[in-house]
Amino acid sequence: MKNTVLGIIGCIIVLYTAMLSLGIYSLYIHKNQMEKCLSQVLYGVMDKYYLPHDTAETGGASNNTAARNDVLEDIKARLGDCDNLNTTIYVCDMDKGIISARIESDLELPMGIEKHLSCTKTIIADRGMDD
């Protein structure tokens, strides 16, 4: 009887440890996915819309609006499976070459705990993208 109780307690400890490990692993995977996605999206938009020498010809306001919309659409397309995905764009100025954005998401771990993840990135073009 004593060995049976110890065996059951041991199984519960092993299951609890496995669930805890899976929760931590999924948390770090989700955070890494958000950071890489945001970096790639911001770099891609900067590469597409930033023209350092031709700012008078490009029409800066429409360029900024198009860049902002591309950031929002690309993040939604890449991270569409996330729960409660909120994207905030702080600065999007293609004339000066700066984009700053934040992604916030809620993640439910296997143990039932809710975690709030956020990632903020800023890209500043200090030289022409073609250099």
Side-chain angles (χ1 to χ4, degrees):
M1 184 68 174
K2 178 180 171 183
N3 290 336
T4 305
V5 171
L6 288 176
I8 291 172
I9 290 173
C11 288
I12 290 172
I13 290 173
V14 167
L15 285 175
Y16 181 76
T17 304
M19 293 292 282
L20 186 64
S21 299
L22 286 174
I24 292 170
Y25 179 72
S26 67
L27 184 72
Y28 282 112
I29 290 293
H30 194 71
K31 179 79 172 172
N32 188 26
Q33 180 186 14
M34 286 174 49
E35 288 177 354
K36 284 188 76 96
C37 172
L38 189 57
S39 293
Q40 290 173 351
V41 167
L42 293 182
Y43 183 78
V45 168
M46 182 69 76
D47 191 33
K48 184 176 179 182
Y49 288 103
Y50 179 64
L51 301 171
H53 304 295
D54 301 331
T55 55
E57 300 172 6
T58 58
S62 63
N63 213 11
N64 292 339
T65 305
R68 181 181 296 265
N69 290 338
D70 272 2
V71 168
L72 292 173
E73 289 173 7
D74 203 7
I75 287 174
K76 188 172 182 175
R78 290 180 187 223
L79 296 176
D81 60 342
C82 295
D83 297 335
N84 299 330
L85 183 68
N86 295 323
T87 305
T88 306
I89 299 176
Y90 295 120
V91 178
C92 183
D93 190 355
M94 291 296 107
D95 294 334
K96 295 179 183 174
I98 183 169
I99 304 175
S100 181
R102 178 184 183 100
I103 298 176
E104 296 176 345
S105 176
D106 293 328
L107 177 69
E108 186 174 346
L109 299 176
M111 301 281 293
I113 300 169
E114 292 255 343
K115 286 289 188 174
H116 180 75
L117 300 174
S118 64
C119 176
T120 304
K121 295 279 183 184
T122 301
I123 287 186
I124 300 172
D126 59 349
R127 63 184 181 342
M129 294 298 286
D130 56 347
D131 292 343

